[in-house]
Every structure is written in structure tokens, then in C-alpha cells.
């Protein structure tokens, strides 16, 4: 699965909301598909995308919040906005978890490399 686009957007209409929600779902699906690194460090492209997503999600949450303020005058219209916000926050937590695990694996690899170097220099 190819990484989804993370576009700039503004929600002015129901169609805009639907397009944004489609992007949020694609991002969540993509991140869930990664599932986090096991014993291998993420490749550079994957890590770069996750770094980009980590910066984009707060932007998307702000845009979503602005649209919610503009359009949600009744409690019944809050549901879809809350669902979108919940999805983004869950995706954000997963991105952070994957990147933290990846950093831990890099640190472990660096420590192992240092141990090997020390053993060979003795």
C-alpha cells in the first residue's frame, strides 16, 4: 500500500469533510498496516513519512476543530467531528509509538556496533 497524501485542506462543506475523513481513514489504515517495527529498523522513506504524518496530524486536528466551531450548532452534528478527531488522535498515538520503537531499535543497533568495535580493538 502506498503512503497516502497529506494535503492542506479547509472544511467548508460536507464534501470537504468527507474528503478529509477519507484522508484520515487512509492514514489510519496505512499506519495500522505498518504495525510498528519488529526487530528491524524502518526504512528511510517509511520513517520520513511517519515524521511528516506526526507534523501533519496536529494541523489536521486544528482544521477539524475550526470546522467544528463553524458548523456544529447542534449536538447531533458533533458526532462526525468527534469521530474524526478520535481517529486522528488514535493514529497520532500509533505514529508516536512506532517512531519511538524505531528510535529504540536504532539505539540498540548503535550500542551493539560500539560493543563489537570495543571487542575488536582489545
Amino acid at each position: 500500500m502506498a503512503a497516502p497524501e497529506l494535503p492542506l485542506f479547509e472544511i467548508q462543506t460536507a464534501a470537504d469533510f468527507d474528503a478529509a475523513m477519507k484522508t484520515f481513514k487512509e492514514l489510519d489504515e496505512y499506519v495500522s498496516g505498518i504495525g510498528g517495527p519488529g526487530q528491524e529498523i524502518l526504512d528511510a522513506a517509511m520513517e520520513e513519512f511517519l515524521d511528516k504524518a506526526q507534523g501533519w496530524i496536529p494541523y489536521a486536528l486544528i482544521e477539524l476543530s475550526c470546522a467544528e466551531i463553524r458548523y456544529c450548532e447542534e449536538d447531533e452534528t458533533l458526532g462526525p467531528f468527534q469521530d474524526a478527531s478520535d481517529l486522528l488522535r488514535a493514529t497520532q498515538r500509533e505514529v508516536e509509538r512506532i517512531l519511538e520503537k524505531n528510535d529504540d531499535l536504532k539505539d540498540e543497533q548503535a550500542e551493539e556496533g560500539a560493543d563489537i568495535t570495543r571487542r575488536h580493538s582489545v
Side-chain angles (χ1 to χ4, degrees):
M1 174 182 212
E5 293 292 319
L6 301 176
L8 298 179
F9 66 94
E10 188 173 325
I11 298 173
Q12 296 291 332
T13 66
D16 293 340
F17 177 84
D18 291 343
M21 191 63 179
K22 181 178 183 252
T23 299
F24 304 160
K25 287 178 180 178
E26 288 172 355
L27 175 61
D28 182 64
E29 245 179 67
Y30 183 77
V31 170
S32 295
I34 296 169
Q39 296 300 319
E40 294 183 22
I41 294 172
L42 295 172
D43 66 46
M46 180 76 66
E47 185 177 8
E48 183 179 324
F49 176 78
L50 290 174
D51 284 336
K52 181 179 175 182
Q54 190 175 32
W56 182 84
I57 291 171
Y59 157 79
L61 285 165
I62 289 169
E63 289 301 319
L64 191 60
S65 179
C66 289
E68 183 178 351
I69 290 167
R70 282 193 298 266
Y71 298 108
C72 291
E73 296 176 5
E74 300 173 16
D75 287 341
E76 63 207 37
T77 58
L78 286 174
F81 284 94
Q82 190 60 53
D83 292 345
S85 179
D86 291 347
L87 178 64
L88 281 173
R89 289 182 197 289
T91 304
Q92 184 177 35
R93 286 189 298 274
E94 183 65 5
V95 167
E96 290 169 356
R97 185 193 67 77
I98 292 169
L99 288 172
E100 286 173 10
K101 177 65 176 169
N102 194 56
D103 286 344
D104 290 346
L105 289 171
K106 286 180 178 180
D107 291 344
E108 288 173 18
Q109 185 180 51
E111 288 172 11
E112 289 172 7
D115 287 344
I116 290 170
T117 303
R118 277 192 292 264
R119 278 186 255 146
H120 287 289
S121 66
V122 173

